[in-house]
Amino acid sequence: MPARIDLEQRRKDVIEAAFRLLVAEGLSGLSLRKVAAESGLNIGSVRHYFDDHRNLLVAAVTEVGNRMGKRLTRYPTDALAGLTGESAVDALQERLEELLPIDEERRVESIVLTEFIVASRVNPIFRPVTEQMAADMRLVITDALRVLDVHDPAEEAERLIALLGGLVLDSVTPHGSLSVERLRATLQAHLRSVLVTAPGADAAPIHD
């Protein structure tokens, strides 16, 4: 009896191969032929899942967004209610680190997403996906800040999103080459400025 082919797993394998090539060569180095070779399939098999190069690229960035979103759903926003001071900082930091390159899996995702965000500046095919991801992130962060009783959560969310974007860029490019430790410390310092030392915040002691 011939071995049963897990079509969904094979599709995931193709996307993982695309991730590896994006990390190694960037967006300009990606092609269906290279992805086929990287995934151990012939190009006809790859085309069975993705009609063309663009569809594969959109699927790759969509997969990154799905993974980040799935991890964030493990943290109900309501669980932040009533938290103050260092407890609030720790809880929010844990959530936001799901979006940052603090391990190899999230580093790969951050590189892939960065490649697509840059590409979307001149290639409109990527904009709906990247814009939706940005809108979803903005909503999640604003809701979290609102539950934590931060003043003007929408405005504070914009500042926090700008910080996250800078941390990602400085972590995955030679622009900054931030270590994971420095990345975490920078995020923590900002969250403390918002949740601990801001006017009206719980003045809990800060522990290193």
Side-chain angles (χ1 to χ4, degrees):
M1 176 180 292
R4 180 178 177 274
I5 297 175
D6 187 334
L7 299 180
E8 183 57 29
Q9 183 58 52
R10 180 168 285 183
R11 184 180 185 278
K12 290 179 180 178
D13 291 343
V14 172
I15 291 177
E16 288 291 344
F19 282 0
R20 292 192 294 272
L21 286 169
L22 283 165
V23 171
E25 302 184 31
L27 202 62
S28 61
L30 195 69
S31 69
L32 288 183
R33 193 169 299 280
K34 285 184 177 181
V35 170
E38 179 69 24
S39 60
L41 299 172
N42 60 55
I43 193 166
S45 295
V46 173
R47 288 188 183 280
H48 174 74
Y49 301 100
F50 305 102
D51 294 338
D52 56 28
H53 178 247
R54 290 191 192 185
N55 286 340
L56 173 58
L57 293 175
V58 171
V61 72
T62 300
E63 176 65 16
V64 168
N66 289 342
R67 290 182 183 188
M68 290 179 171
K70 186 175 181 180
R71 288 199 302 269
L72 285 174
T73 60
R74 300 199 303 253
Y75 303 95
T77 303
D78 291 348
L80 296 171
L83 296 181
T84 59
E86 290 298 306
S87 296
V89 170
D90 291 344
L92 188 54
Q93 174 125 1
E94 185 179 22
R95 287 160 170 77
L96 295 179
E97 284 186 0
E98 296 292 356
L99 306 173
L100 295 174
I102 62 169
D103 56 27
E104 185 58 24
E105 178 184 0
R106 280 171 273 198
R107 179 177 178 275
V108 168
E109 292 172 0
S110 293
I111 292 172
V112 171
L113 183 55
T114 299
E115 288 286 329
F116 281 97
I117 290 173
V118 172
S120 69
R121 185 180 70 83
V122 294
N123 195 333
I125 189 174
F126 303 132
R127 289 178 193 166
V129 179
T130 57
E131 288 174 357
Q132 185 60 55
M133 290 175 67
D136 291 344
M137 178 175 65
R138 181 169 286 103
L139 179 62
V140 167
I141 293 175
T142 301
D143 284 348
L145 294 172
R146 183 177 294 111
V147 171
L148 288 169
D149 290 328
V150 171
H151 175 69
D152 199 350
E155 181 62 29
E156 187 56 51
E158 295 302 326
R159 286 191 283 269
L160 189 47
I161 289 166
L163 174 65
L164 294 173
L167 290 175
V168 169
L169 188 65
D170 276 2
S171 297
V172 302
T173 71
H175 179 265
S177 300
L178 282 182
S179 67
V180 171
E181 292 75 18
R182 184 60 181 165
L183 181 157
R184 282 176 154 157
T186 301
L187 175 60
Q188 185 181 68
H190 178 77
L191 294 181
R192 282 174 170 167
S193 74
V194 175
L195 298 169
V196 179
T197 60
D202 184 350
I206 297 176
H207 303 289
D208 293 327

